[in-house]
Amino acid sequence: MISAIDLSHKALRWQELIQSAAQSIRPVVQLSDQQRLVWLDLSGANTRLAAIQVADTGGLDAFICAECSRQEGIGGIGGYMEDRRLYLRSAVFAGEEHRTLHLGVDIWLPAHTPIYAALGGRVHSFADNAGFGNYGPTIILEHQLEEITFYTLYGHLSRQSLLELEEGKPVAAGEQIASLGTAEENGDWPPHLHFQIMLDMEGMKGDYPGVAAPSRADYYRLRCPDPNILLKFPL
């Protein structure tokens, strides 16, 4: 594990290199000029969401679709460091302190939507993180910018996305790497992509926390920068 001081230096250097590599970054979803994603507030402060039974995937899906339609968007986006009561739906996030703080950005689009690599690199690891509320099929890519190694996580994918994958497989920026899974295969969530950046995998493979206890906010904010630095959506 990288020390906090070394990680702070790495985070600053990473931001410098990402700015220099801006021309190499590709969209993770492809939208036409007429299509747009709208910001979704899925925090516990959203009073409209408070009326939804969050354990009901169909009801949650209907809420998200209605919010996107209300704002005239093809889909939704948001969620970095958002404190969400949604995670009370699953024992996956239970513990002495329930994990409710979202560490990535979610892009809510229909099942089977193609997903593309934001940057070139290689497959670090992958897994089907099965179970109610979990990631479902997940791919983690490893990237190298000069001396800095970092990782991007793509969660809630289709099971087909994991076929014929192998660790170390090269991936080009803009290459299709996956498609979004249905609720039956993605951890029982409305279809969406969980996209997250990690500066340190902490020895994990095929999985990394996408939701943290609020008391651990500083710890994970340092390790997981805002994904919109790569996504560049107008949130």
Side-chain angles (χ1 to χ4, degrees):
M1 184 184 297
I2 304 174
S3 71
I5 293 175
D6 288 344
L7 197 56
S8 294
H9 290 312
K10 181 175 183 177
L12 290 173
R13 177 62 174 151
W14 178 82
Q15 291 190 39
E16 292 175 356
L17 292 173
I18 283 295
Q19 291 176 4
S20 299
Q23 298 302 315
S24 300
I25 300 171
R26 298 292 180 267
V28 298
V29 295
Q30 294 185 355
L31 304 177
S32 72
D33 292 340
Q34 288 74 41
Q35 296 172 323
R36 70 185 189 100
L37 300 178
V38 296
W39 182 70
L40 293 184
D41 177 5
L42 299 181
S43 73
N46 187 338
T47 56
R48 289 193 299 274
L49 183 59
I52 303 298
Q53 294 294 325
V54 294
D56 175 13
T57 301
L60 182 58
D61 191 26
F63 172 83
I64 290 169
C65 291
E67 284 293 289
C68 293
S69 178
R70 183 177 67 85
Q71 298 184 58
E72 299 181 345
I74 189 175
I77 187 169
Y80 179 61
M81 301 305 287
E82 191 171 68
D83 198 359
R84 294 174 167 178
R85 63 184 289 272
L86 295 177
Y87 301 115
L88 301 175
R89 76 197 303 256
S90 171
V92 168
F93 307 103
E96 186 173 337
E97 180 185 3
H98 211 97
R99 293 190 292 132
T100 58
L101 192 67
H102 191 246
L103 304 178
V105 162
D106 286 336
I107 299 176
W108 305 86
L109 284 167
H112 314 300
T113 296
I115 301 299
Y116 303 88
L119 285 166
R122 68 183 187 95
V123 175
H124 171 270
S125 53
F126 56 94
D128 188 350
N129 296 292
F132 180 70
N134 213 329
Y135 273 138
T138 307
I139 297 174
I140 298 174
L141 302 184
E142 180 178 318
H143 312 278
Q144 191 77 32
L145 289 178
E146 295 191 16
E147 78 279 13
I148 298 296
T149 302
F150 67 100
Y151 310 87
T152 52
L153 182 150
Y154 302 75
H156 305 297
L157 307 174
S158 65
R159 291 200 177 102
Q160 186 175 6
S161 303
L162 303 186
L163 299 179
E164 300 182 7
L165 272 188
E166 58 182 26
E167 292 184 8
K169 179 181 178 180
V171 174
E175 177 182 345
Q176 183 178 347
I177 58 169
S179 60
L180 293 186
T182 62
E184 290 73 22
E185 59 188 345
N186 77 355
D188 208 356
W189 291 97
H192 72 287
L193 173 70
H194 175 99
F195 180 76
Q196 185 169 327
I197 301 167
M198 294 84 65
L199 299 182
D200 178 14
M201 281 298 296
E202 302 185 70
M204 300 180 196
K205 282 193 169 186
D207 192 11
Y208 189 88
V211 183
S215 65
R216 301 278 279 169
D218 291 343
Y219 179 91
Y220 281 108
R221 186 180 284 108
L222 186 60
R223 286 160 176 77
C224 301
D226 185 348
N228 205 43
I229 295 173
L230 293 184
L231 296 175
K232 298 181 179 180
F233 280 100
L235 300 183

